[in-house]
Amino acid sequence: MRVAILTAVFLAAVGVAAESVAVSDLEVVHERLLIRTALPPQCSLPVHPDAARDIAPGAGIFEYCTGSPVLNGYRWPQIAVGQNRTIHMACLDSTGNTLFYSRAVDWCTWDPPIALAMPQPNPEFPTHNVVASKASEKVCATWVYACPTGPMPGFYRVSTDGGDCWGPSTELPWPSAFGGDTATSFHVSSLFPFYDSRDGLHIVVCVHPVVNDTGYIMPAEIWHWCPDNTPNWSRIHRAGCRPENMQASVGYNALYACRPSLGECDGYVLIVTWEQFDSSNVEPRTNRLRADAFVAFSSDNGQTWEYQTKLTTSSSVSHRFPSVEDRNTGRDTVCIFYLQDECAGFFVLGEGPPMNNPVVTHDLIMYMRPYPGRVDTVGGTTYDMQLVGPSFRSVCCSPAYGVHCAWNYSASDSRTFPDLNVRYNFYDYASSYWNWIDPDYMQSGVNVFTQKTGCGCLDADPFTDVAIVSGQTLGPAGVEEKKFAALFPPAGATMFSGNLRLSGIQPAVLLDITGRKRADLLPGKNDIRFLSSGVYFLRREKDRTTTKVIVQR
């Protein structure tokens, strides 16, 4: 069966819009934009992974599973939820070099981490990923050894019993992308593993040429590997241009085409998406090339690939870090997630000004004939989104829940540590729109963790359809009380009924006893009449001081 697609024309989001915007008879764009700003975090040790899960599909109320103290000192957590409901995590140690594996068979009981790479070399950089099958207890971890010279090799390791025992660390052979004296190398943004609904393992990669120990960003190629196919490798796409036509640089941790992500539609169609730069589309403020999101499809288990299509329209923005939802069996709509970077380049690396960058999901409706596509601006990053390794699992789908998204972002224009946004609101397929749990604040399911948390990924429990997200947390979990005088004048009171007056010039957040944020507070009078009676905690982000507040009715 040949699959025909129609992609929606991209429309830049410049604000908050609640209504659909008709572009043409076949194209509709939804825009809902969340822009969040916050104070820079005051980082403290130890670093450790945390996890949060929704108590029910679409509830927007989360319970937490902290990795401390078992996982103190570990970071860059990538998670996958398997058929046996175990949370599998691949992470790096405090040096950022050594790959480890941990799991939570029972909620909030993490196993001591075990080294995963040996006897093969460790990543030496956050290049790792992990996936768990929804059809068996198989788990697969992947990584690239970021060696300083020469071609970078890739590796994978598989467990068939839910992480109890692991097979040998196996080197993934390079595809025959380049010949002669040109060696083939995986990239730090390369390996993305995926188990399809029939329990088949797939890995998509991006590769680039290396000549005399020097790596080049093009021609870049996207390849697919499956142990069940003969041959195992198939080429999806090749990208590049004549060197004299390259009008600017692609920037850090990128190839001309890179960051592939893999998903599935209708139980037999594989979908891959990646970012690809445009040699003639230059951001004048940073002298960096802008990128577009691309997609391709396979209906024969990845042996051949069709419709290598540019998903986005080249414009004055860059479209980065695309990710395809992991599985949408039984539907004809594919959801692609990407960042609309208003100024190409990374602000945290001194490339251009801080920008409010919307996060977008792009629906592709696949039929034998063209059918409308749709773009939804589901959230916004505030300034930056530099991810180094392969595409993390940022879009998930479940029959009861729909599509949910997660993305990293920088919460400040003066500090570089990323936070984690998670949109757990579900997509209504019947009406084709995002169903916000809290439409007034557009806040439910965003910034789930109570502390600054970034570098995580998202998956869904195959039994309950609830969303589970991992995050890298700085500092101890929970709320620590501080002296009252640190926040208010000595004459102030801790008991409030309708309004809370915040002294000083710095904003704060109000947390409930579980540590969940209930309100953002600004200097001066704040209306808290919507809160129920009880004990809350007021925290200033600048100095991380916290005090108890009692609300009475």
Side-chain angles (χ1 to χ4, degrees), residues 101-401:
Y101 166 81
S102 181
R103 65 179 181 177
V105 177
D106 300 316
W107 178 250
C108 211
T109 303
W110 291 98
D111 291 348
I114 60 172
L116 204 59
M118 296 299 291
Q120 304 291 356
N122 275 286
E124 305 294 333
F125 197 68
T127 66
H128 58 292
N129 219 326
V130 66
V131 66
S133 174
K134 300 296 191 291
S136 73
E137 294 191 0
K138 293 179 183 178
V139 185
C140 178
T142 61
W143 68 98
V144 172
Y145 168 43
C147 54
T149 60
M152 292 187 289
F155 305 91
Y156 68 97
R157 193 170 185 180
V158 173
S159 170
T160 59
D161 56 7
D164 285 336
C165 300
W166 288 83
S169 298
T170 304
E171 183 171 355
L172 188 67
W174 286 298
S176 55
F178 312 105
D181 295 332
T182 302
T184 300
S185 174
F186 296 116
H187 187 249
V188 294
S189 68
S190 190
L191 273 60
F192 188 96
F194 176 73
Y195 279 107
D196 63 31
S197 57
R198 301 173 303 280
D199 207 28
L201 176 62
H202 306 262
I203 300 177
V204 287
V205 307
C206 57
V207 295
H208 64 107
V210 174
V211 180
N212 296 327
D213 289 339
T214 299
Y216 294 86
I217 65 168
M218 65 176 188
E221 296 190 353
I222 308 296
W223 284 74
H224 167 264
W225 179 86
C226 177
D228 299 327
N229 290 348
T230 303
N232 298 145
W233 283 107
S234 62
R235 189 172 72 177
I236 300 172
H237 185 69
R238 182 183 178 98
C241 68
R242 296 180 64 86
E244 59 268 25
N245 294 334
M246 279 283 288
Q247 299 184 16
S249 168
V250 300
Y252 293 93
N253 300 318
L255 300 178
Y256 196 82
C258 58
R259 290 185 171 85
S261 168
L262 189 64
E264 182 182 31
C265 181
D266 282 338
Y268 73 97
V269 178
L270 295 174
I271 309 103
V272 65
T273 182
W274 66 93
E275 66 179 17
Q276 181 171 316
F277 292 86
D278 185 335
S279 63
S280 61
N281 191 355
V282 180
E283 168 57 60
R285 289 169 290 184
T286 60
N287 198 35
R288 290 284 187 252
L289 292 181
R290 299 182 177 116
D292 286 293
F294 281 67
V295 293
F297 298 85
S298 174
S299 56
D300 58 5
N301 203 49
Q303 296 181 78
T304 59
W305 293 84
E306 302 175 285
Y307 302 104
Q308 289 85 354
T309 304
K310 187 168 70 169
L311 179 66
T312 55
T313 302
S314 298
S315 62
S316 60
V317 299
S318 188
H319 310 100
R320 300 295 308 274
F321 314 111
S323 181
V324 60
E325 64 180 279
D326 57 350
R327 185 175 290 103
N328 53 1
T329 302
R331 297 195 297 109
D332 53 22
T333 301
V334 179
C335 181
I336 307 292
F337 160 106
Y338 52 84
L339 172 77
Q340 178 185 308
D341 190 359
E342 302 287 341
C343 180
F346 296 127
F347 164 72
V348 297
L349 296 177
E351 300 177 339
M355 306 295 293
N356 290 324
N357 296 318
V359 174
V360 175
T361 61
H362 196 132
D363 287 354
L364 305 181
I365 303 178
M366 303 195 304
Y367 278 121
M368 295 301 292
R369 59 183 177 83
Y371 201 74
R374 192 181 299 273
V375 173
D376 281 89
T377 307
V378 299
T381 66
T382 46
Y383 307 121
D384 199 16
M385 186 178 173
Q386 187 191 10
L387 303 176
V388 288
S391 298
F392 66 100
R393 198 169 300 282
S394 52
V395 182
C396 290
C397 174
S398 62
Y401 201 174

